[in-house]
Amino acid sequence: MPTETKSHPWMALSAPGAIDDMLKTIGVSKVADLFEQIPQDHYRKKPLDMPPALTSEMELRRDLVTRLKQNGDCESNLSFLGAGVWQHHVPAIVDEIVGRTEFATNVWGSYQSDHGRNQAWFEFSSQLGALLNLDVVQLPVYSWGCAIGHAMRMAARITGRSKVLVPQLSDPERLSVIKTYCQPTEMDDSIEVVMVAADPATGRLDLSDLKSKLGSDIAAVYFENPGYLGTIETEAAEIAKMTRAAGAETIVGVDPSSLGVMTAPGDYGADIVTGPVQPLGVHMQCGGGAGGFIASRDEERYVHNYNGFLVSIADTARSGEFGFGLACPHQNSYGMREDGNDWTGNSTYLWAIAGAVYMSLLGPEGFAELGRLIVSRARYAARLLDEIAGVKVMWPDGHFKEFVVNFDGTGRTVSDINDALRAKGIFGGKDISEEGLNLGQSALYCVTEVHTAADIRRLADTLREILA
Amino acid sequence: MSRLPEFHAAKWDEPVIMELGRPGGRGQIFPKPESEIEAEVGADLIPAGMARKDRPALPEITEFEAQRHYLHLSQMTLGMMGVSLFGTCTMKYNSKTSEYATLRPELAEVHPYQHPDTLQGVMGIVHDFDHMLRSLSGMDQFIFQAGGGADAAYTMAIVARAYWADRGMLDQRTEMVTSIQAHPCNPATAAAAGFKVVNLPLEENGYPSLDALKAAVSDKTALIMINNPDDMGIYNPEIKEWVRVAKEAGALCFYDHANFNGVMGKLSARELGFDACMFMLHKTFGAPKAGGGPAVGAFGCSDELAPYLPCPVVAKSGDKYILDEDRPKSAGKVREFWGNIPQVVKAYAWARGMGAEGINLASDISVVANNYMDKRLSEIPGLAISNPHISANRMEMTRWSFAPFAKKPASEQLISPIAWRTTASTPSG
């Protein structure tokens, strides 16, 4: 009797007879013989409890689409949510390229077989390096928060110190990841995270508080530019100078969508730079578009402390020819297991390809246009909202694409206001009133290039109506 | 028919992107701000000290050139939607149906901070898939925040850290035990989380001995991390005893299910005694690996460890799905948001498309095919299976040695690409 199988569209060897043919060649009579290493009492006792199979593509597709349609999305609604994932325009060519089977593959190819992918990765690093004015960019890690965590651990290895300074006005989501990476103090090599106060008048880092905390025990100072609440850190060069004077590393977090109009971090003294890759041509995907980069100057102290993949270009043995390969491949955990720098694994390398295509499409002028458009529209939104009775925009003139809107004067909660907005097809800013930032009933609004003047007026008009 | 097919990637003489285009070339143009915006806010909105003065040295190319260039690079890549014989990665066919579904705006243009009422579709999928993985593993709760198998191993390390800290025993339970055969992410993530790593050597039978384990575990052991079958494809028939010994010493037991493919539907990690396990959705569950992510390490654990899980946890309250962030004992986040959600949706689609029967069949086929391949490779003169003295069937993967080839003259070192890909080591996790 042949082994009974029902052919499944996704498994070539499920066609009747295929298993038997292989068993014959192997020289065993039944499939179970090949599992002989598993003792009988290891087999599961409880039967699998799975929903009925949808082997028909037609049925499966209907199930997926029906379920996903229960979501509200930011195309059919007007959304002002940001805070770590932002709604940006994704050029069609980016979707085309990252959707290519060769890149969105089920395979992990070898470096020899995937020369094109390696080149695309190299081009991601090179172009992002041009935006940052830094020469070394590692392939992205899981998220921005993870990138910051790894960067802090790099700084601790480099300096031999175990304390980092972080802005009080930090994103709690990223901060939670940072704290995970820096470990609880019970562990021997933990890193202590110390908060630096913000200047209430500007939302920027309080330099006197920073100075008082900068000592010989500080491994790194971390700040973001623009900051979590959208503020532009105008004293970035001074912070880097103070940090260097204390023998610590300056780690900066930047939003790459700002770098057509904002100074590159490599130009104001940043040593290690981190940031999100999602703004570089990746859809939000409910947070699935997250990825984080780490970059630095091309100096041994940094290069030898990366935890992941560095893709480099080199001449081959043939004159005039070049190829791409991993630089310092053995210093990460693949090469040295627990003795390597930190650890690494599958990450978000498809987004490196998205980023490479995106940056090449924009070029220097595209980034400048993008930056001007975002900052203009965000500033316009802030002005319009600030005019509404009871509504106050914090630090109205010092932000890039995000800004804080305070509703204390309306007597309403952000949660209540957002519910009312949602009923009218608008996703209001992220409610930050419970984040311990002492900003009252406030929301973090995000305005990007996708928001037209009419969209912004619709928001202002709807808010006015709700608050009347 | 015994023809050996040849294949190779297209080879374009493709310049680096920086060498393409000419000044003024544009691949994307953004509109100017509307006149009312310009009138209201003016120009020069970045404070002088922070306004960029130089032009980033990016290429200046047209959309057409960008598309052609990156199409060439994709064609110079052997990534494919078909057969991969790379060891622990257990890659498989990825259906286009699930790709199609996740590109829709109902998922692509969704923000994780939207009100949960507007996320019921995706939360429902996460919830239902969590329950399928619970059934496959016997665990009580899954989360999908980890961005890959290594991140799931890291999740285990920090959950263990929180578990022992909660008991005031973190200064005592300082060690993690694994095997030298385990994927590097196991020792590396445990070390990064602050644990001292103990690596057990392999014995003659292909796995570490029980005696070695007994000697290694003690009241200092915080956790053990094991995969089984291991990365040589050998199933450790003493695994239940391993778990018993480790638990007797008080340690937590983590089943790294990187190699689940060969045993799926047949084993339950919980029934074997494990406290936690992980599945790689980007491999075992039919979501693409994508050249190294976006990936997902689905992490599941027992009720005892669940309070320490990273947040949020998708739960159901009445008829509604909710995001549970109120978990005071949580170990903290390993990554922002809930995870690579499109990959979870693709994995859900795969599991729905397969059903219990299909999943069992896939495991049968993978083990049969692996042994068939072994048999055929053994017919190639000079090619040797690693550890030939071990008689156990290699499940789901095998290592082969090219040592005999290396001794031959270069002109005779012709190796089929299939054999090469079978044995090459691969970054995983």
Side-chain angles (χ1 to χ4, degrees), chain A residues 188-234:
Chain A
D188 284 344
D189 50 352
S190 69
I191 300 169
E192 190 186 347
V193 178
V194 178
M195 311 306 282
V196 178
D199 177 347
T202 62
R204 300 195 289 260
L205 221 51
D206 178 335
L207 294 200
S208 60
D209 192 51
L210 174 67
K211 196 174 179 186
S212 73
K213 287 170 177 158
L214 258 176
S216 58
D217 55 345
I218 302 297
V221 173
Y222 176 73
F223 66 95
E224 291 174 2
N225 205 5
Y228 166 51
L229 301 180
T231 50
I232 294 172
E233 198 59 74
T234 49

Side-chain angles (χ1 to χ4, degrees), chain A residues 106 108 143 183 283 334 338, chain B residues 80 86 91 192 199 336 428:
Chain A
N106 57 351
W108 172 268
S143 70
Q183 307 176 2
H283 296 279
Y334 285 124
E338 65 269 29
Chain B
M80 55 192 150
F86 260 178
M91 286 90 159
N199 285 300
E336 296 94 304
S428 167

Side-chain angles (χ1 to χ4, degrees), chain A residues 355-391:
Chain A
V357 181
Y358 182 85
M359 289 184 276
S360 79
L361 286 167
L362 264 64
E365 274 309 306
F367 270 98
E369 274 176 8
L370 174 74
R372 279 197 296 269
L373 189 57
I374 291 174
V375 73
S376 301
R377 287 182 164 172
R379 212 60 68 84
Y380 178 66
R383 295 262 175 102
L384 257 53
L385 299 194
D386 197 49
E387 287 168 5
I388 301 170
V391 177

Side-chain angles (χ1 to χ4, degrees), chain A residues 300-312:
Chain A
E300 208 172 302
R301 67 200 247 116
Y302 302 112
V303 172
H304 280 178
N305 270 294
Y306 278 96
N307 70 307
F309 286 178
L310 296 164
V311 185
S312 195

Side-chain angles (χ1 to χ4, degrees), chain A residues 159-468:
Chain A
T159 60
R161 301 174 179 181
S162 59
K163 214 185 253 189
V164 290
L165 301 182
V166 172
Q168 192 70 49
L169 298 182
S170 282
D171 177 2
E173 191 81 7
R174 285 195 285 287
L175 194 57
S176 177
V177 179
I178 291 168
K179 285 182 174 169
T180 301
Y181 273 63
C182 288
Q183 307 176 2
T185 45
E186 290 97 322
M187 309 304 272
D188 284 344
D189 50 352
S190 69
I191 300 169
E192 190 186 347
V193 178
V194 178
M195 311 306 282
V196 178
D199 177 347
T202 62
R204 300 195 289 260
L205 221 51
D206 178 335
L207 294 200
S208 60
D209 192 51
L210 174 67
K211 196 174 179 186
S212 73
K213 287 170 177 158
L214 258 176
S216 58
D217 55 345
I218 302 297
V221 173
Y222 176 73
F223 66 95
E224 291 174 2
N225 205 5
Y228 166 51
L229 301 180
T231 50
I232 294 172
E233 198 59 74
T234 49
E235 301 297 319
E238 180 59 24
I239 297 168
K241 200 171 143 194
M242 288 164 67
T243 305
R244 185 166 302 115
E249 300 291 322
T250 303
I251 306 175
V252 178
V254 295
D255 176 348
S257 70
S258 71
L259 291 175
V261 293
M262 283 181 61
T263 306
D267 290 350
Y268 53 74
D271 297 311
I272 307 174
V273 176
T274 67
V277 296
Q278 186 265 325
L280 298 172
V282 182
H283 296 279
M284 297 183 288
Q285 303 175 88
C286 200
F293 65 79
I294 312 175
S296 70
R297 293 187 298 278
D298 187 6
E299 292 172 13
E300 208 172 302
R301 67 200 247 116
Y302 302 112
V303 172
H304 280 178
N305 270 294
Y306 278 96
N307 70 307
F309 286 178
L310 296 164
V311 185
S312 195
I313 189 169
D315 295 327
T316 72
R318 201 176 299 164
S319 173
E321 192 183 67
F322 51 81
F324 305 90
L326 296 186
C328 307
H330 297 299
Q331 67 188 23
N332 65 36
S333 56
Y334 285 124
M336 295 176 70
R337 292 170 69 90
E338 65 269 29
D339 296 322
N341 289 334
D342 227 325
W343 55 279
T344 191
N346 270 311
S347 188
T348 56
Y349 303 152
L350 189 62
W351 303 152
I353 291 170
V357 181
Y358 182 85
M359 289 184 276
S360 79
L361 286 167
L362 264 64
E365 274 309 306
F367 270 98
E369 274 176 8
L370 174 74
R372 279 197 296 269
L373 189 57
I374 291 174
V375 73
S376 301
R377 287 182 164 172
R379 212 60 68 84
Y380 178 66
R383 295 262 175 102
L384 257 53
L385 299 194
D386 197 49
E387 287 168 5
I388 301 170
V391 177
K392 184 177 178 310
V393 170
M394 315 274 298
W395 319 303
D397 293 321
H399 58 84
F400 178 60
K401 73 183 178 193
E402 289 173 283
F403 55 92
V404 176
V405 184
N406 179 275
F407 293 96
D408 284 347
T410 68
R412 306 267 294 267
T413 63
V414 172
S415 165
D416 174 38
I417 293 166
N418 278 355
D419 284 348
L421 283 172
R422 195 168 68 258
K424 293 178 180 297
I426 298 174
F427 298 159
K430 182 194 180 199
D431 188 348
I432 57 170
S433 49
E434 304 291 327
E435 292 184 353
L437 304 175
N438 293 324
L439 296 170
Q441 282 298 317
S442 290
L444 181 62
Y445 272 73
C446 172
V447 173
T448 72
E449 76 279 8
V450 304
H451 299 97
T452 64
D455 290 337
I456 294 164
R457 281 196 300 273
R458 183 179 151 210
L459 168 69
D461 291 345
T462 310
L463 264 178
R464 201 171 277 115
E465 192 185 309
I466 288 167
L467 297 171

Side-chain angles (χ1 to χ4, degrees), chain B residues 67-86:
Chain B
Q67 187 177 22
R68 185 178 59 187
H69 173 72
Y70 285 106
L71 277 177
H72 281 178
L73 295 189
S74 74
Q75 288 162 350
M76 286 163 67
T77 302
L78 274 181
M80 55 192 150
M81 199 59 76
V83 176
S84 165
L85 298 177
F86 260 178

